[in-house]
Amino acid sequence: MRKMRKPLLVMVSLFLVLVTALAGCSKSGDGNTSNPGTTVKNEEKKENNENKEPPAENTDSKWVLGEKPLEFSAYAHYNNSDFPKYESTPIGKYLSEEKQVKINMIAAAGAHSQKLSAMMASDELPEMIWTDRNHPDMERLLKAGKLVAFDEYLDKYPNLKTWMGDDLNMLRAEDGKLYMFPNWYSANPFGNAGYVVNKKIYEELGKPKLETTDDLYDYLVKVKAKYGDSIIPFEPHRAQDMQGLGVLYTAFGEGALYTYLNSGLRAVPKDGKLTSVLTDPVFREAQKYIAKLYREKLISQDAFNQTEDQVLEKVMTGRVAVFAGSSPTTFAGEAQPELIKNDPNGGYFMIWPIHKPGLDKNKIYPGTYTSFGWNAAYITTAAKDPEAIFAFLDWYTSPEGMNVQFFGPEGKNWKGFDEEGKPNFPETYDPKEVAEIQTKNEPVMFVGNTSYIDPAKYKYMAKLPFEEQDWRTRYQQTITWPTQYNVTEFINLNPDPESEEGVIQTSVDEMFLEIYAKSVMAGSDEEVDQILDQGNKDLVGLGYEKLLEWRTAKWQDNLTKMNKK
C-alpha cells in the first residue's frame, strides 16, 4: 500500500509514518555529528554483514551537501498530492538556510496525468520525479532515454547500497541498470494500515467487543442509531484507491492481502498461478459485506469521490467512529493532540485487525510492505547535476538526514550518536515539537530508510509509559507493524505500457475500478455476484488472462531471484 506516502507520506505512511531509515555511521556518543557519507550497519543484516567493513569511499570529486549551492526542480506524480513549498517545511527551511539547498516544487493541482504528459511532450521535464515504483509513465521515460542511471554513484554515496544490499538488484531495469531511489526501504516489517476508533464514541456506546466482522457491523449500526448523520460510522478514506475497503477485504481470509487489489497485481495467487480477483471467493464474500454496509449508509456515501482534505477534516473534527485505510495513523495522529485539548478522554485508538468469525486473528494482514517501501524518486536527464541530486537523496537517508527530518537540527532534540548509531536524546527533547516537525516534514520525505529511523525513534519512546508514548509510535509497535505482510515477491509486475500487456493493463485498470465501485453499491448479495460475474467476462474480453499469464511468469522469476522456489 502506499500510500504513505507514507510512509508515510508514505507512506506513506507516508505519513507521519514512523517508518524511515538511514545509513550513515556516527561517532559513538561523543556529541559530534557523524560524517553523512559514512555508514552504520543495519542490525537486522548483521548475520550477513558482521564481518564486512563499510564500503570504501571514493573521495575524488565527491559532492558534499552544503559545500556549494544546489537547486533543482521536483514533481510529485500522484493525484491529489502536490509537494508544498519546500521552505515552508522544517527540513526545507533548514536545508535552505544551512546547506544552500533550494528545491523548486512543481504543482499539478489535481491534473497530474495531463501535467506530466505536457512536460513530456514539450521535453521540459522536472529534474526529479517522485511517484510509484515502476509507474507506467516512468517506464515511458526510461524507454525514451529520459532517466538517469544511478550505478556510477552507488559506491561514491553508499547509504542506499549498504542498507539495501542485494535486494537493490530487484529494482534494476531490463538493461541491468538502476534508475530509481526507493522510499522507506527496510529489512524490517513496517506500515500503518489498520483500524482507528474514536475513543469518545466507543466509550459512550459502552466499549463493546470489536474483534470480528460481526462485531464491527453491530457497532456501526449502534453508531448510526445513536448519532444519525452527525457521525460517519465507517470512514474508508478514498474508496477509489480501495483504501479502507481494501482493509476490510483482508478480514475475510487468512493471508488475504490488500496488495491483491492493487493495479500492480490485480490477482490472487493460487497453485503457483495468478488468478482473477473477481472470481476469488474471499473477495466476493468481502464485497457482499461491504455492499451491505454501504446500502445501510454505514459507510461514507461520498467515499468514491471525496478528496484527501475532506477526509482529513472529518477525522480532525472527530466526525468518524471507525477510520480504516492504508495509513490512517497519518490523519489520526495529526488529529489526536487537537481532540484531546478540549477533552483529555477523547481522541483515537487502534484495534487489532478485524477478522471474520472462525479465522485466526493472527493471520489477518490489513497492510503490506516490501523491502523497497511504496514509491521512488527518479532523476531525469533534465537535471543539470544529476550526481548532486543523487548525493542529496542519499544524504536524506543518512543518519544526519533522517534525524534532521524527524527530530530537527542537531542540538535540542538529538545530539550525537550512541554505539549502535542511534541518536542520543538530551533532556531538552521536546515530544510535542518533534511530533510537529514530523507532521510538517512528512509531505516532503522523498526517500527514507525505515530500518534506521524506526528503532532510532523508538529508543526514546521505549522508556516512557505506554500512554505517554507518541501516538503513532505506540500503535506501530503494538498493532500495525506486527500485522503487515511482506509482499516483495510481487514487485515489478507492471509491463511496458507500450507493449500488448501494457495496453491491456491500462484497460483492465479502468474497468476494474468501475466494476469494483458497482459491486460496492449493489443492492443485494445476488447483484454483487451478477456484477462480478459480468465484470470478469468483460475483463477477460480485454485480455485479462493474458496479463495474468505475463505477471505469473514475472512473479515466478521474482521468487527465483529471492530463492523462494
Side-chain angles (χ1 to χ4, degrees), residues 61-275:
S61 303
K62 185 168 182 176
W63 193 92
V64 179
L65 188 72
E67 284 191 351
K68 57 184 178 181
L70 170 63
E71 181 174 353
F72 63 94
S73 58
Y75 174 66
H77 191 40
Y78 278 114
N79 287 333
N80 300 301
S81 297
D82 280 328
F83 285 138
K85 184 178 179 181
Y86 198 58
E87 291 79 4
S88 70
T89 65
I91 183 66
K93 184 175 186 294
Y94 168 79
L95 288 173
S96 176
E97 296 176 352
E98 304 295 332
K99 300 291 187 180
Q100 304 186 73
V101 176
K102 179 178 176 58
I103 304 179
N104 301 310
M105 305 301 205
I106 299 173
H112 291 74
S113 295
Q114 300 91 319
K115 182 70 174 181
L116 185 57
S117 294
M119 290 190 287
M120 291 167 65
S122 64
D123 201 22
E124 296 180 356
L125 292 168
E127 293 172 83
M128 187 193 85
I129 299 175
W130 183 71
T131 187
D132 285 323
R133 283 182 287 100
N134 303 109
H135 190 290
D137 286 334
M138 296 302 99
E139 297 300 309
R140 292 186 177 95
L141 289 176
L142 175 59
K143 191 174 182 179
K146 297 295 183 180
L147 296 181
V148 174
F150 299 156
D151 300 75
E152 64 179 291
Y153 309 138
L154 292 175
D155 290 326
K156 203 171 183 180
Y157 310 97
N159 283 310
L160 177 60
K161 182 178 179 180
T162 299
W163 286 81
M164 281 301 304
D166 293 339
D167 282 351
L168 191 60
N169 292 325
M170 289 189 68
L171 295 181
R172 293 185 179 278
E174 301 230 343
D175 63 4
K177 296 180 180 180
L178 181 70
Y179 294 91
M180 67 181 79
F181 198 119
N183 194 16
W184 306 126
Y185 53 88
S186 175
N188 308 320
F190 66 93
N192 300 283
Y195 303 81
V196 168
V197 177
N198 186 308
K199 183 180 178 183
K200 184 178 180 67
I201 293 172
Y202 181 71
E203 291 181 348
E204 289 178 351
L205 290 175
K207 299 183 180 181
K209 184 163 67 80
L210 265 180
E211 298 178 2
T212 70
T213 49
D214 291 345
D215 296 337
L216 178 62
Y217 173 76
D218 292 341
Y219 182 70
L220 300 181
V221 169
K222 290 176 182 176
V223 170
K224 184 171 179 58
K226 181 174 178 62
Y227 301 98
D229 295 335
S230 65
I231 296 293
I232 297 159
F234 186 86
E235 174 53 63
H237 204 154
R238 286 166 51 79
Q240 60 267 55
D241 297 330
M242 276 161 281
Q243 289 278 342
L245 300 186
V247 169
L248 273 180
Y249 157 65
T250 67
F252 286 85
E254 294 177 3
L257 304 177
Y258 183 106
T259 297
Y260 296 163
L261 309 182
N262 289 347
S263 174
L265 190 55
R266 296 265 197 260
V268 175
K270 184 178 181 180
D271 299 328
K273 295 183 178 180
L274 295 178
T275 62

Side-chain angles (χ1 to χ4, degrees), residues 239-493:
Q240 60 267 55
D241 297 330
M242 276 161 281
Q243 289 278 342
L245 300 186
V247 169
L248 273 180
Y249 157 65
T250 67
F252 286 85
E254 294 177 3
L257 304 177
Y258 183 106
T259 297
Y260 296 163
L261 309 182
N262 289 347
S263 174
L265 190 55
R266 296 265 197 260
V268 175
K270 184 178 181 180
D271 299 328
K273 295 183 178 180
L274 295 178
T275 62
S276 172
V277 173
L278 301 187
T279 60
D280 176 44
V282 174
F283 176 75
R284 290 198 167 212
E285 184 177 12
Q287 287 306 96
K288 291 172 183 177
Y289 179 87
I290 291 170
K292 180 180 179 180
L293 298 186
Y294 189 85
R295 63 177 172 265
E296 293 184 14
K297 294 183 171 53
L298 301 177
I299 290 179
S300 302
Q301 297 298 286
D302 59 350
F304 281 94
N305 53 33
Q306 61 189 351
T307 65
E308 293 278 307
D309 287 342
Q310 288 172 324
V311 177
L312 176 59
E313 188 275 333
K314 287 186 281 188
V315 177
M316 290 292 294
T317 55
R319 293 193 297 111
V320 300
V322 179
F323 175 41
S326 62
S327 186
T329 53
T330 300
F331 287 174
E334 186 174 348
Q336 179 70 14
E338 296 301 316
L339 291 175
I340 63 176
K341 280 181 182 178
N342 298 323
D343 183 1
N345 294 318
Y348 295 101
F349 67 96
M350 294 198 76
I351 59 173
W352 195 259
I354 296 292
H355 63 281
K356 174 186 170 183
L359 299 184
D360 184 342
K361 70 174 186 177
N362 295 313
K363 294 180 180 179
I364 303 298
Y365 305 98
T368 58
Y369 71 97
T370 72
S371 297
F372 318 111
W374 292 284
N375 37 46
Y378 298 78
I379 299 174
T380 75
T381 53
K384 294 179 284 293
D385 191 346
E387 179 177 341
I389 298 175
F390 182 88
F392 166 79
L393 294 174
D394 204 57
W395 177 88
Y396 230 47
T397 66
S398 73
E400 182 183 8
M402 294 308 314
N403 287 325
V404 173
Q405 289 184 72
F406 272 76
F407 310 115
E410 184 181 14
K412 181 181 179 181
N413 295 314
W414 70 282
K415 188 171 181 63
F417 299 83
D418 64 18
E419 65 280 359
E420 295 180 332
K422 297 174 185 177
N424 293 315
F425 298 112
E427 292 183 0
T428 51
Y429 182 96
D430 185 341
K432 290 184 179 179
E433 180 181 78
V434 167
E436 183 178 354
I437 288 170
Q438 293 174 16
T439 297
K440 291 182 177 179
N441 281 338
E442 188 271 333
V444 293
M445 290 180 177
F446 317 121
V447 289
N449 180 338
T450 303
S451 294
Y452 174 83
I453 202 64
D454 283 352
K457 189 173 181 180
Y458 194 62
K459 174 187 173 182
Y460 176 83
M461 298 297 166
K463 62 185 180 182
L464 299 176
F466 181 80
E467 61 276 5
E468 294 181 21
Q469 293 178 11
D470 171 75
W471 189 91
R472 299 171 183 84
T473 303
R474 65 179 184 241
Y475 287 117
Q476 286 170 333
Q477 294 288 329
T478 59
I479 300 289
T480 66
W481 293 346
T483 59
Q484 313 295 291
Y485 193 88
N486 190 334
V487 291
T488 301
E489 66 191 75
F490 296 118
I491 70 163
N492 299 337
L493 300 188

